[in-house]
Amino acid sequence: MTEAMRLVVAGGGTAGHISPMLAIADAVKDEQAGAQITALGSPGGLETKLVPEAGYQLELIPKVPMPRSLNLDLFKFPFRFLSALNQAKRVLKENKAEAVLGVGGYVCTPAYLAAKQLRVPIFVHEANSVAGMANKLGAKSAAFVGTTFAHTGLPGEVQVGMPMRSNVAQMDRHALRDEAREYFAVPKNKPVLLVTGGSSGAQSINTAIADSLDELNAAGVHTVHITGRGKQILDAAGLPLEHEGYTQLEYVDRMEYAYAVADLMVCRSGAGTVCELEVAGTAAVLVPLPIGNGEQQLNARDLVAAGGAVLVSDDEFSKAYVTENVIKLLSDQHKLEQMSQAAASLGQRDAAQIMARRIIEEVSTRRGAGQEG
């Protein structure tokens, strides 16, 4: 393939969609440095920040969710959706797209339909154990469907794992450990509990940890707490809470350091987090998000079954649970090492590369067929 490949990637809303999309885009660039990649997103989503930061052109089309009740929006929906579809077709035509990759989110439905109408091959990656509506639609016409988990119910699915940016996918937790302790200014002789609710934070987890700081510190544990933006733990004076044996941050750009520094992590069980725990080989207490369709509990299933993590419901994760279970686990280095090895046995590091190669192969094949014709 001599001429640069032209790819449109679509996805948005949350980091759970955008991160694998960017990982696949990066993998395509690694294979073909000159590849022209344009991202399709919606106003107001995290893609408006993360896509330009990653160095990719971003085109925005309106988000058109299907109204769930009989109201004026329901009657306006067909016209709004047709407008979004036409805008998606415009982006594909202007960029002379040779393939469309979708990872889920509202923007993917018009992107898939536009690609189908323009006879552009569709590639789908489903990050979650329960497929979303957009990817169910896209998979019906896709040249290739990759999934993170088995048995999502998508037609023709191939389990490839979770596409990750290279800083996490290629990390060596043990080699990074000292560097990670310096990054978080953590004492070398203390076990480390790292707590995160993801980029948006988890208030229930934050509260339980804040309530448990006296007990954690008394047990000799250093707690690194990534609270999420706007969800800092404050003291009585309204200032960020300070406590011996406690490091509080709202957000961390270098998540590979978070996985490396932790003897044990407390976190939600989003698909990306579960897969990163496996690649890193970090033992975890998983607290699934209690709302939605239960996908976070399903995401955790294989890791828990393998012994790499323990699962606790959101309403059970409390000060009592931390003092009775988390502290006990942190005092058992043999158990933590067993969990680490179990998690690492599941890690899949090359999902982004698999997706990228399938896209490149399909475009190359179509170009060859066109030249022969």
Side-chain angles (χ1 to χ4, degrees), residues 343-357:
S345 72
L346 300 177
Q348 293 177 268
R349 297 174 181 262
D350 61 350
Q353 288 71 32
I354 293 171
M355 293 296 300
R357 287 169 195 149

Side-chain angles (χ1 to χ4, degrees), residues 110-355:
Y112 291 144
L113 290 174
K116 185 177 180 181
Q117 290 180 15
L118 297 173
R119 297 186 178 180
V120 175
I122 295 167
F123 294 81
V124 173
H125 185 272
E126 175 56 59
N128 291 301
S129 51
V130 179
M133 293 302 296
N135 280 353
K136 286 179 180 178
L137 173 69
K140 292 177 181 178
S141 308
F144 182 75
V145 179
T147 64
T148 298
F149 302 100
H151 312 302
T152 67
L154 293 178
E157 66 181 49
V158 177
Q159 186 183 10
V160 300
M162 173 66 80
M164 302 176 197
R165 312 291 300 266
S166 60
N167 62 323
V168 173
Q170 303 306 320
M171 71 171 287
D172 181 331
R173 178 168 167 251
H174 296 291
L176 274 180
R177 190 135 175 104
D178 289 344
E179 199 175 324
R181 282 182 176 267
E182 287 182 20
Y183 181 82
F184 290 110
V186 170
K188 288 190 176 181
N189 60 341
K190 285 188 171 187
V192 176
L193 173 66
L194 190 134
V195 182
T196 175
S199 57
S200 58
Q203 196 62 52
S204 57
I205 294 176
N206 288 352
T207 300
I209 293 300
D211 290 346
S212 308
L213 290 178
D214 287 341
E215 288 77 10
L216 285 162
N217 183 57
V221 174
H222 190 96
T223 303
V224 177
H225 191 179
I226 306 168
T227 63
R229 288 199 172 102
K231 293 189 178 176
Q232 281 184 306
I233 305 297
L234 305 178
D235 62 19
L239 298 172
L241 179 66
E242 294 184 3
H243 195 288
E244 187 178 353
Y246 180 63
T247 301
Q248 181 182 172
L249 307 121
E250 284 189 83
Y251 186 79
V252 171
D253 287 317
R254 301 291 301 270
M255 275 305 292
E256 70 272 27
Y257 284 154
Y259 291 112
V261 80
D263 290 281
L264 179 68
M265 187 177 286
V266 169
C267 52
R268 293 294 194 206
S269 50
T273 300
V274 169
C275 295
E276 288 175 357
L277 287 165
E278 293 170 353
V279 163
T282 302
V285 173
L286 299 175
V287 190
L289 189 70
I291 58 174
N293 57 9
E295 67 184 34
Q296 286 212 351
Q297 188 154 348
L298 290 173
N299 291 344
R301 182 174 49 194
D302 291 346
L303 180 56
V304 172
V310 295
L311 193 71
V312 56
S313 67
D314 188 77
D315 59 356
E316 290 177 346
F317 188 78
S318 61
K319 177 180 177 179
Y321 185 89
V322 173
T323 54
E324 293 168 18
N325 296 280
V326 174
I327 290 175
K328 181 180 178 182
L329 196 49
L330 279 160
S331 67
D332 189 344
Q333 282 299 318
H334 178 65
K335 176 66 173 175
L336 290 174
E337 185 54 37
Q338 285 182 323
M339 292 176 69
S340 171
Q341 291 175 7
S345 72
L346 300 177
Q348 293 177 268
R349 297 174 181 262
D350 61 350
Q353 288 71 32
I354 293 171
M355 293 296 300

